[in-house]
Amino acid sequence: MSTERPRRAVVTGIGVIAPNGLRADAYWKSVREGLGVLDLITREGCQDLPLKVAGEVRGFDASALIEERFLVQTDRFSHYAMAAAQLALDDAGIGLDDPEEPFSIGVVTAAGSGGGEFGQRELQKLWGQGSKFVGPYQSIAWFYAASTGQISIRSGFKGPCGVVASDEAGGLDGIAHAARAVRRGTGAVVVGAAEAPLAPYSMVCQLGYPELSTVEDPERAYRPFTEGACGFVPAEGGAMLVVEDESRARDRGAAVRAVVAGHGATFTGASRWKESREGLARAIRVALDEAGCAPEEIDVVFADALGVPEADRAEALAIADALGAHATRVPVTAPKTGIGRAYCGAPVLDTVAAVFAMEHGVVPPTPNVFDICHDLDLVMSRARPAELRTALVLSRGLMGSNAALVVRRGDDSAR
C-alpha cells in the first residue's frame, strides 16, 4: 500500500491589474483601507449610454509591459491578463532557464465576454470600408481562449492549457481546474481571469442584464445587502495566480502563500436568484467536503454580493444553510463594492484578497455599505483584525453558475 503523500495545490504567485491597483500590493492596500474607486465612465464612445458608473483600470500602459507583436494581435482583456500573469510569475520566482520547465507549466484562464473592443473596431472597418480592411487577428483576438493562448505563447509554456468560457463563477472554476491539473501531475499552472467590458459594443450588450445598476452616483450605484441595493456595476481588470505542486514549490524555496483546499460548483439558471440559494449552499457544502473542512472552521467569507435584493437574500440564506449557526458569527466581506464586478475576474480578485487577509490577519471592509438588512456579520467602515486560517470565496454568475472555493493559509499547508 502506497504511503506517498497526495500532491497538494498551493498558491505561490499573485499578479493583479485592477481599478484600485496595478500590482498585488497596491490592490491589497486599497482593499484593506476600504477605498472606493468607482467613478463615472470616461472611455471613449461610452459617455452617452445609460450605464454611467464602473471600475476603470487607469494608468495602465500596455506598451510598457507587453511586446508590440503581442499588442497588435490582442484585445485589452488579454493585455490585462498577460501583464497580471507576468507579475504572478515574477512573484512566484519562476523563470524558464531549465529547458524542461516549459513542459511542466500550463495556463488556464476564464472569460465571460472576450475581446469586445478589438472586435468592435474590426467590425466597424468591415461595415465602413470593406472586408479587405479587416485585420487577420480579428479571428482570434475577440475569442475567449485568446488570453490562455497568448500567455502560453509569450512565456513558452507547453504544459496542459485550457479556458473556462463561463459567467462570473468561471473565475473560481478556473482555479479549481488548475488545482486538479496540479494534483494529477502538472508542476504549475498560471491561472486566473481578466476582463475588459468597458467598450461601447460590450456595454450595450450588458444593458440587457436586468441586474445592472444605472445609478449615476458612484457611492450609491453598488450597495449589496442594503435596502438601497439597486444592482451591480461592472469593472475591468482581474488577477492571475501561480498554482503549484507544494513539494515542487518547497524544493525550489518558493513561499507557499495559500492552499487551494476545496471547490464546489452548481448551476441553477439565468437570473433565478431564489433558486440560487439551494445551488450556492450545495456548492459550499461540496467545497467544504473536498477541503475536509467543518463549517465552524471558516474564518471569513468573501461574498458574491450581487446587489440585487432577491439575490442578496438568497446568498445570505445559502450561507446560513451551509454553515448553520456559524453563519451569524463568521465575518463576511465584499471588497468588490469598491471597484465593481470584473465578471470572471471578480472572484479571482476576491481570492487574492482572501490570501492577503490570511497573511495579514485582517478582514477588509465592504466599501459604500453601512446599513445592511440581512442577518450577516458584514464587515463595514473599517478593516477588522482577526486570526484567519481558512477563507471561503463565493461567486454566482448572471447565467446561473454558482461556485465556492475554500483556501487555507499558507503556513497551514501541512494540515
Side-chain angles (χ1 to χ4, degrees), residues 61-351:
D61 182 4
S63 64
L65 301 169
I66 303 165
E67 300 85 347
E68 177 65 20
R69 68 188 181 95
F70 289 105
L71 291 180
V72 298
Q73 57 186 276
T74 49
D75 180 81
R76 186 189 301 266
F77 91 108
S78 292
H79 300 168
Y80 294 150
M82 284 189 282
Q86 188 58 58
L87 291 170
L89 288 164
D90 293 344
D91 185 44
I94 290 181
L96 299 178
D97 297 333
D98 184 344
E100 296 298 319
E101 184 78 337
F103 290 94
S104 69
I105 301 177
V107 181
V108 175
T109 63
S113 59
E117 185 178 61
F118 194 107
Q120 177 181 341
R121 183 172 65 243
E122 296 303 309
L123 287 174
Q124 285 176 324
K125 291 178 183 178
L126 174 64
W127 297 331
Q129 298 172 274
S131 59
K132 293 183 179 179
F133 292 87
V134 178
Y137 299 118
Q138 164 67 353
S139 62
I140 58 171
W142 69 270
F143 192 45
Y144 302 94
S147 295
T148 289
Q150 297 292 2
I151 291 169
S152 63
I153 292 169
R154 184 177 185 235
S155 300
F157 296 146
K158 300 177 182 179
C161 293
V163 60
V164 179
S166 183
D167 57 23
E168 291 92 318
L172 295 187
D173 295 341
I175 295 173
H177 187 90
R180 287 163 188 155
V182 166
R183 292 174 192 136
R184 289 194 298 265
T186 301
V189 178
V190 181
V191 59
E195 304 267 25
L198 304 185
Y201 170 74
S202 299
M203 286 174 57
V204 169
C205 292
Q206 292 169 78
L207 289 172
Y209 298 142
E211 297 86 358
L212 193 73
S213 171
T214 54
V215 172
E216 297 186 26
D217 181 352
E219 294 185 359
R220 303 187 65 83
Y222 183 25
R223 303 184 67 235
F225 302 118
T226 70
E227 293 285 359
C230 55
F232 75 95
V233 298
E236 54 186 1
M240 298 294 293
L241 311 174
V242 173
V243 174
E244 188 172 358
D245 171 53
E246 182 184 22
S247 296
R248 177 185 185 274
R250 296 195 183 280
D251 286 347
R252 65 182 188 84
V256 173
R257 304 193 64 172
V259 180
V260 181
H263 168 263
T266 61
F267 181 79
T268 47
S271 296
R272 295 180 178 176
W273 300 116
K274 185 176 181 180
E275 289 91 334
S276 76
R277 170 185 178 177
E278 181 181 3
L280 184 60
R282 172 65 177 172
I284 294 170
R285 293 188 186 102
V286 171
L288 293 174
D289 185 60
E290 184 176 281
C293 178
E296 56 270 18
E297 291 182 67
I298 297 298
D299 299 312
V300 60
V301 176
F302 284 77
D304 176 61
L306 186 63
V308 173
E310 186 179 32
D312 292 345
R313 186 180 308 111
E315 181 172 21
L317 292 171
I319 293 171
D321 292 343
L323 301 186
H326 186 57
T328 59
R329 298 189 295 267
V330 63
V332 177
T333 184
K336 62 171 69 72
T337 62
I339 63 173
R341 292 170 69 92
Y343 293 102
C344 283
V348 186
L349 285 168
D350 278 348
T351 302

Side-chain angles (χ1 to χ4, degrees), residues 342-412:
Y343 293 102
C344 283
V348 186
L349 285 168
D350 278 348
T351 302
V352 170
V355 173
F356 275 107
M358 290 188 290
E359 288 179 343
H360 292 269
V362 62
V363 180
T366 306
N368 299 323
V369 175
F370 310 104
D371 53 347
I372 68 167
C373 58
H374 297 279
D375 193 13
L376 294 172
D377 182 15
L378 192 71
V379 179
M380 301 175 284
S381 301
R382 61 178 60 87
R384 182 189 300 176
E387 177 70 17
L388 305 176
R389 307 179 76 86
T390 307
L392 175 65
V393 183
L394 305 180
S395 183
R396 292 170 300 175
L398 298 176
M399 296 299 104
S401 296
N402 312 287
L405 187 75
V406 175
V407 287
R408 293 191 185 273
R409 199 165 69 187
D411 58 10
D412 289 347

